């Protein structure tokens, strides 16, 4: 699966997340070897495949970052919510 994503997206870095990443290099090294054997182009190989250091909080932090990013890109939505809360309370 990682090889397929690399072939399509061509990222510079692959960060693995989830409970299994606690295994660290025990998990990452075989994935790295499999990717190098299966990727279609040497040029598409990421600079590195690593396990996330965020542990179980990684998903929550990523979701929070997406919400914050969306709010900053769509200030009018954020301001509309604040105005609505101020007028109802």
């Amino acid at each position: 699966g990682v090889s397929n994503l690399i072939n399509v997206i061509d990222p510079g870095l692959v960060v693995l997340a989830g409970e299994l990443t606690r295994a660290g290099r025990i998990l990452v090294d075989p994935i790295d070897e499999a990717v190098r054997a299966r990727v279609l182009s040497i040029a598409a190989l990421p600079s590195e495949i690593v396990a996330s250091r965020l542990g179980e909080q990684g998903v929550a932090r990523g979701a929070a970052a997406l919400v914050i990013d969306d709010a900053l890109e769509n200030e009018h939505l954020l301001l509309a919510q604040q105005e609505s809360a101020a007028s109802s309370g």
Side-chain angles (χ1 to χ4, degrees):
V2 174
S3 297
N4 289 337
L5 287 171
I6 290 170
N7 287 325
V8 172
I9 300 173
D10 189 17
L13 173 69
V14 174
V15 180
L16 304 172
E19 281 188 44
L20 290 177
T21 58
R22 290 185 198 172
R25 299 305 315 174
I26 293 171
L27 172 75
V28 174
D29 289 344
I31 291 174
D32 190 45
E33 288 176 30
V35 163
R36 293 186 186 287
R38 291 177 175 87
V39 73
L40 296 177
S41 168
I42 298 298
L45 284 174
S47 58
E48 195 173 4
I49 298 176
V50 298
S52 172
R53 295 183 193 160
L54 297 176
E56 296 174 8
Q57 294 181 354
V59 173
R61 288 182 182 191
L66 288 173
V67 169
I68 292 168
D69 188 51
D70 192 53
L72 294 175
E73 285 184 15
N74 300 293
E75 291 181 40
H76 64 282
L77 296 175
L78 184 62
L79 295 173
Q81 273 189 324
Q82 289 175 345
E83 290 172 2
S84 175
S87 65
S88 65

